[in-house]
């Protein structure tokens, strides 16, 4: 049984506490809670009937001997330093997404992890536990559909009202969140896109703020280039209503698409399009193929959250690989940084982007 402590007892931590206390996460025992507000800890403990130790000092929790691992749910900018302290204390770490605000801090954290043999550090991108996206990931990465030609994701159903941004002084600010739509709501989809399609080599982006009194973007358009020359498009919005959620991955031997995180359509070509184009005698011939449709249950996001925490516990016990490693969490952050830098510079930016240039531009906004 993995003894877990949670640092930062906000809304998202409340979801995780409820899942663990409700028995929906196997192999995990909640043994400690850490928050600057002791009354808040007491209220949460009473709500869920917890016997977890309460700490208002993070360092005391780390050295208490009460936990084997820490789940960090504090504001974005605190993630790398708190994860580093936990690793240095010999504890396993699961960090809420995004892994941080600055990539160089995450790179330093990665060095610490590499120096601590046997410790696990993962990032809580729970959408990777989705059966639909796991199916598509295995299909694409397994090579059944050939090589990547194009990937397009229209994710414009991330709607947020003024009340959302007013719910916390840190929301909708560069200083509080390190970004807007790309760093928060659409971070999951960008992570899934790089997990399924691989890491792009460059990005050209445009970000904008539409109809909301915030300083960060709530709309973004990314044009991505991949190592083999394939292109990707990522269109995201938190102001459009009704929105669309459609990922389409076109490859040399077929196409796979996911609509609304659940409806998967696979078109499998009988031969590689490149071979067909060279050998087909007809000017307008098309590669024959077969199609199939699968539907996955995506009704409860908490199923994925529970599965992600359980995966972390199993990875600690060396029973499986971590669902999203620190390295992969860093890559997602680098894509976000590259998009912001591209927008600010109004040009294509290589990935990973120069972190010093990103820092200097972000400092002007903060």
């Amino acid at each position: 049984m993995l003894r877990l402590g949670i640092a930062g007892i906000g809304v998202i931590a409340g979801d995780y506490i409820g899942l663990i206390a409700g028995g929906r996460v196997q192999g995990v025992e909640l043994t400690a809670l850490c928050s600057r507000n002791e009354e808040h800890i007491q209220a949460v403990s009473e709500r869920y009937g917890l016997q977890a130790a309460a700490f208002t000092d993070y360092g005391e929790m780390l050295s208490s001997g009460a936990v084997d691992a820490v789940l960090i749910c504090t504001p974005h900018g605190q993630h790398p330093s708190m994860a580093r302290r936990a690793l240095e204390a010999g504890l396993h770490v699961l960090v809420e997404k995004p892994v941080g605000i600055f990539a160089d801090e995450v790179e330093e954290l990665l060095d610490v992890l590499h120096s601590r043999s046997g410790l696990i550090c993962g990032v809580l991108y729970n959408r990777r536990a989705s059966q639909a996206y796991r199916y598509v990931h295995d299909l694409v990465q397994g090579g059944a559909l050939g090589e990547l030609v194009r990937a397009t994701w229209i994710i414009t159903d991330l709607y947020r009202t003024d009340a959302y941004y007013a719910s916390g002084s840190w929301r909708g600010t560069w200083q509080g969140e390190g970004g807007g739509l790309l760093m928060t709501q659409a971070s999951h989809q960008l992570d899934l896109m790089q997990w399924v399609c691989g890491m792009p080599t460059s990005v050209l982006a445009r970000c904008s703020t539409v109809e909301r009194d915030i300083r960060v973007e709530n709309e973004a358009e990314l044009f991505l280039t991949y190592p083999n020359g394939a292109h990707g498009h990522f269109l995201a919005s938190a102001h459009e209503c009704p929105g669309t959620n459609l990922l389409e991955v076109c490859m040399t031997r077929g196409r796979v698409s996911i609509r609304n995180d659940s409806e998967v359509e696979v078109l499998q070509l009988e031969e590689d399009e490149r071979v067909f184009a060279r050998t087909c005698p007809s000017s307008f011939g098309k590669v024959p193929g077969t199609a199939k449709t699968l539907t996955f249950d995506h009704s409860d996001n908490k199923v994925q959250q529970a599965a992600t925490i359980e995966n972390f516990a199993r990875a600690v016990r060396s029973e499986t690989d971590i669902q999203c490693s620190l390295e992969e969490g860093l890559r997602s952050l680098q894509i976000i940084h590259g998009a912001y830098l591209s927008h600010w510079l109004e040009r294509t930016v290589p990935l990973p982007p120069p972190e010093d240039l990103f820092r200097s531009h972000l400092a002007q906004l903060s």
Side-chain angles (χ1 to χ4, degrees):
M1 186 70 71
L2 181 71
R3 300 177 304 158
L4 182 68
I6 297 183
I9 314 301
V11 174
I12 191 64
D15 289 344
Y16 302 150
I17 292 169
L19 291 171
I20 298 170
R24 296 179 64 177
V25 182
Q26 302 300 309
V28 175
E29 179 185 6
L30 192 55
T31 56
L33 299 176
C34 181
S35 173
R36 291 176 295 182
N37 189 330
E38 192 168 7
E39 293 181 356
H40 192 191
I41 297 177
Q42 183 177 354
V44 169
S45 297
E46 291 177 354
R47 184 185 312 150
Y48 295 103
L50 302 176
Q51 299 298 318
F55 297 90
T56 56
D57 184 277
Y58 182 60
E60 289 182 5
M61 184 178 75
L62 298 181
S63 61
S64 67
V67 299
D68 306 309
V70 176
L71 171 52
I72 298 173
C73 299
T74 53
H76 305 164
Q78 298 176 17
H79 292 176
S81 62
M82 294 184 72
R84 177 171 187 158
R85 291 177 65 186
L87 290 173
E88 291 174 342
L91 302 175
H92 305 282
V93 182
L94 183 60
V95 184
E96 176 58 39
K97 65 84 185 171
V99 68
I101 291 179
F102 297 111
D104 52 1
E105 293 179 351
V106 181
E107 290 171 349
E108 292 172 1
L109 176 61
L110 196 54
D111 290 339
V112 174
L113 176 62
H114 290 159
S115 70
R116 299 297 194 276
S117 178
L119 290 182
I120 297 294
C121 184
V123 183
L124 215 161
Y125 274 115
N126 63 277
R127 295 301 179 94
R128 291 192 181 203
S130 160
Q131 292 303 308
Y133 289 107
R134 295 188 72 82
Y135 175 85
V136 171
H137 168 269
D138 294 346
L139 188 66
V140 171
Q141 291 298 315
L145 296 180
E147 296 183 20
L148 183 66
V149 174
R150 173 184 58 81
T152 300
W153 201 330
I154 303 174
I155 178 68
T156 57
D157 66 345
L158 303 171
Y159 190 70
R160 296 296 187 274
T161 65
D162 288 334
Y164 169 82
Y165 297 107
S167 65
S169 60
W170 50 277
R171 289 196 186 279
T173 67
W174 289 103
Q175 186 173 12
E177 297 188 287
L181 172 66
L182 294 178
M183 187 68 88
T184 54
Q185 295 87 33
S187 174
H188 279 292
Q189 286 75 26
L190 272 176
D191 173 71
L192 286 172
M193 196 166 180
Q194 69 97 357
W195 184 51
V196 169
C197 300
M199 183 70 175
T201 57
S202 67
V203 58
L204 176 64
R206 183 193 67 83
C207 302
S208 56
T209 306
V210 182
E211 293 294 333
R212 300 291 184 272
D213 186 20
I214 55 176
R215 297 189 63 194
V216 297
E217 87 288 351
N218 63 351
E219 180 179 272
E221 302 168 81
L222 279 61
F223 185 81
L224 304 161
T225 301
Y226 290 89
N228 70 341
H231 290 149
H233 317 89
F234 188 83
L235 311 176
S237 170
H239 71 85
E240 185 177 316
C241 187
T244 298
N245 182 0
L246 174 64
L247 169 63
E248 187 175 74
V249 183
C250 183
M251 307 186 73
T252 57
R253 289 187 61 90
R255 183 186 69 214
V256 59
S257 61
I258 309 181
R259 184 178 293 275
N260 297 326
D261 300 325
S262 59
E263 303 165 19
V264 177
E265 181 184 67
V266 181
L267 175 62
Q268 179 79 58
L269 300 180
E270 292 183 3
E271 66 176 316
D272 192 294
E273 177 279 327
R274 295 168 296 186
V275 175
F276 181 86
R278 290 193 296 268
T279 58
C280 178
S282 171
S283 300
F284 303 101
K286 291 187 178 181
V287 190
T290 57
K292 65 178 179 179
T293 302
L294 304 92
T295 301
F296 296 84
D297 183 10
H298 186 72
S299 59
D300 189 357
N301 184 50
K302 287 183 169 53
V303 171
Q304 298 168 21
Q305 293 173 333
T308 301
I309 299 172
E310 191 169 311
N311 164 267
F312 171 65
R314 294 185 62 222
V316 168
R317 297 193 296 269
S318 301
E319 296 174 0
T320 189
D321 294 331
I322 190 70
Q323 182 171 286
C324 180
S325 67
L326 184 61
E327 292 94 335
E328 291 182 321
L330 173 59
R331 287 200 286 270
S332 294
L333 183 63
Q334 289 169 333
I335 295 173
I336 296 169
H337 284 190
Y340 287 148
L341 197 54
S342 172
H343 171 69
W344 296 332
L345 298 176
E346 299 183 342
R347 62 175 173 81
T348 299
V349 168
L351 294 174
E355 184 66 11
D356 56 344
L357 197 55
F358 172 80
R359 272 185 173 271
S360 65
H361 278 76
L362 181 61
Q364 297 174 31
L365 296 170
S366 301

